[in-house]
């Protein structure tokens, strides 16, 4: 039950709360961005507005509105809204809340919405403790996570919930948040105005993170002396940079961002774009990624995507790996950059990878094929009857027509040269040598 003292305590708490917390909307009308997830006509919006929410997992990067949506649900629902911390909560805590929810449902007919922020931090045992309660609707689960729930959340729990993915906020949404915060009485209440260059800088620094944008604005405003005449103090780009001396883009070395960026890096080298390869390399290095991990991926790319179109690529990649081991950061960034740009510029062929995969498929699924007699080892009794082996070096071109594949397989069944670089040149040269040998 709220009292006068409750209101006083809430007011004092709000006064000392960060700007991002003070500006958190309490209704869907005040929610900014995420039209695809919670816009008009969306499942989540209808479920919140009609108070018919079923279990849902909100998935997206930091600062995209997951916790805000949970608070909006708490403010609009007629159900009991309870929260359990995934950082400090235990199985005992979960069971206590589930028992309380069961009691409310049986005695009062009142539903319970259970909010678990950072649900991926719950171990399997804690997640399992939720299963039956979610399945029989004892609780409606609202989970929030920055990690891919299909990897980090129990599959049985996923199957009982709907996953709603939130995207990084676009620039217009970030600007809307900033302008609201400048004007709103809960925010900076018109005491400051933001120069266009300062706004642009905050938008860039935020990288789609609404909370980060509001934090940058709050810190920058603290660098400005408020005017005695009551007119708005101007927040400049210099104030923003002073408050944020170093930009830190989101990157989690064990999460989705890690895999997304290394994937973009590899695909940029494969796609022959040295600028993109350098950009993604810089993103990883700046975030503190292990340079040996990057070097290993470069070595794989050298064979997987370039192969014999440029055999030097593997040597360059190996040299970069060794340099990374011996030199370390920050100097090995140059070695990695050299290797990445070399691979991006090199002619491409996936013939080696495609060839070995096709051969493995044949070995695993095809019939057993015997070694041709003339290729078998000669150090055994009866080997004189195997038939003659033709020694290629005894022939002028170093090649002689002879079957090397087992019966049932023909030349060209696995290896298909790309027609680029050294690989193409060698295929052409081999063809000439074979034609000459047969004349």
């Amino acid at each position: 039950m709220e009292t006068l003292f409750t209101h006083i305590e809430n007011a004092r708490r709000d006064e000392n709360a960060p700007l991002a917390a003070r500006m958190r909307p309490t209704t869907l009308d005040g929610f900014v961005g995420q039209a695809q997830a919670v816009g008009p006509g969306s499942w989540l919006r209808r479920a919140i507005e009609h108070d018919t929410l079923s279990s849902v997992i909100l998935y997206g990067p930091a600062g995209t509105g997951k916790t805000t949506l949970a608070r909006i649900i708490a403010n609009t629902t007629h159900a009991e809204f309870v929260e359990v911390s995934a950082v400090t909560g235990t199985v005992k805590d979960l069971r206590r809340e589930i028992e309380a929810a069961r009691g409310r449902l049986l005695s009062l007919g009142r539903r319970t919405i259970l909010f678990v922020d950072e649900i991926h931090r719950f171990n399997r045992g804690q997640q399992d403790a939720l299963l039956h309660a979610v399945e029989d609707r004892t609780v409606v689960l609202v989970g929030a996570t920055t990690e891919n729930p299909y990897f980090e959340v129990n599959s049985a729990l996923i199957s009982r919930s709907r996953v709603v993915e939130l995207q990084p906020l676009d620039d217009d949404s970030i600007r809307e948040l900033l302008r609201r915060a400048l004007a709103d009485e809960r925010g900076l209440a018109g005491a400051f105005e933001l120069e266009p260059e300062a706004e642009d800088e905050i938008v860039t620094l935020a990288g789609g993170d609404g909370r980060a944008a509001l934090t940058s604005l709050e810190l920058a405003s603290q660098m400005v002396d408020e005017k005695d005449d009551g007119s708005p103090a101007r927040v400049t780009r210099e104030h923003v940079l002073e408050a944020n001396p170093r930009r830190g883009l989101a990157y989690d070395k064990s999460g989705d961002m890690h895999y997304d960026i290394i994937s973009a890096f590899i695909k940029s080298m494969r796609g022959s774009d040295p600028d993109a390869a350098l950009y993604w390399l810089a993103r990883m290095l700046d975030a503190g990624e292990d340079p040996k991990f990057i070097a290993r991926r470069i070595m794989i790319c050298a064979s997987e995507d370039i192969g014999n179109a440029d055999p030097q690529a593997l040597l360059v990649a190996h040299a970069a790996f060794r340099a990374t081991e011996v030199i370390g950061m920050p100097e090995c960034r140059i070695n990695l950059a050299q290797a990445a740009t070399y691979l991006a510029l090199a002619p491409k062929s996936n013939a080696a990878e495609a060839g070995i995969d096709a051969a493995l498929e044949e070995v695993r699924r095809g019939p057993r094929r015997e070694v041709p007699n003339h290729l078998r080892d000669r150090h055994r009794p009866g080997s004189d009857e195997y038939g003659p082996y033709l020694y290629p070096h005894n022939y002028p071109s170093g090649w002689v027509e002879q079957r090397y594949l087992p019966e049932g397989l023909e030349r060209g069944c696995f290896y298909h040269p790309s027609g680029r670089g050294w690989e193409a040149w060698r295929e052409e040269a081999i063809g000439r040598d074979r034609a000459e040998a047969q004349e």
Side-chain angles (χ1 to χ4, degrees), residues 322-348:
R322 288 291 299 131
T324 299
E325 283 188 316
V326 173
I327 298 172
M329 284 291 287
E331 289 83 359
C332 76
R333 77 191 190 283
I334 307 168
N335 307 113
L336 292 172
Q338 179 185 353
T341 52
Y342 186 97
L343 267 62
L345 295 169
K348 303 301 189 291

Side-chain angles (χ1 to χ4, degrees), residues 113-323:
I113 294 176
L114 174 64
F115 175 53
V116 182
D117 199 7
E118 301 296 332
I119 191 172
H120 64 275
R121 293 180 180 270
F122 271 163
N123 60 36
R124 293 295 174 181
Q126 290 168 308
Q127 292 183 27
D128 287 344
L130 288 167
L131 283 178
H132 292 301
V134 171
E135 186 173 31
D136 63 16
R137 292 287 185 92
T138 300
V139 299
V140 173
L141 172 68
V142 177
T145 176
T146 56
E147 303 294 334
N148 190 328
Y150 295 101
F151 295 129
E152 301 297 334
V153 178
N154 188 318
S155 59
L157 202 54
I158 287 285
S159 70
R160 291 162 172 79
S161 309
R162 181 157 180 165
V163 176
V164 174
E165 184 172 0
L166 306 184
Q167 303 294 333
L169 296 179
D170 59 34
D171 290 354
D172 289 342
S173 296
I174 296 291
R175 293 181 195 278
E176 175 65 21
L177 288 176
L178 293 174
R179 292 165 188 173
R180 285 189 187 183
L182 286 165
D184 198 293
E185 288 298 322
R186 295 172 300 160
L188 300 180
F192 300 90
E193 62 180 24
L194 196 59
E195 291 187 350
E197 295 80 5
E199 183 180 278
D200 291 343
E201 189 64 32
I202 291 177
V203 170
T204 300
L205 288 168
D209 184 330
R211 183 167 51 244
L214 292 174
T215 300
S216 291
L217 174 61
E218 183 175 28
L219 293 174
S221 69
Q222 293 168 357
M223 301 291 175
V224 184
D225 293 327
E226 296 189 46
K227 293 185 178 181
D228 295 333
D229 60 5
S231 62
R234 293 180 69 82
V235 179
T236 67
R237 181 173 182 270
E238 287 67 32
H239 292 132
V240 174
L241 292 175
E242 186 179 359
N244 299 271
R246 186 180 183 281
R247 181 188 184 196
L249 292 175
Y251 189 87
D252 182 347
K253 286 190 282 185
S254 62
D256 281 355
M257 190 67 73
H258 161 84
Y259 294 107
D260 286 345
I261 291 183
I262 193 64
S263 175
F265 175 60
I266 293 165
K267 289 170 182 172
S268 297
M269 291 188 292
R270 180 185 298 148
S272 302
D273 190 330
D275 296 295
L278 287 173
Y279 174 79
W280 297 118
L281 174 61
R283 282 283 297 271
M284 290 186 287
L285 292 176
D286 185 66
E289 181 61 82
D290 180 0
K292 291 194 291 295
F293 167 77
I294 301 171
R296 285 193 291 270
R297 301 307 305 179
I298 291 175
M299 286 183 70
I300 294 168
C301 182
S303 291
E304 181 179 0
D305 295 308
I306 297 167
N308 288 325
D310 184 354
Q312 284 287 118
L314 183 56
L315 301 181
V316 170
H318 182 262
F321 182 82
R322 288 291 299 131

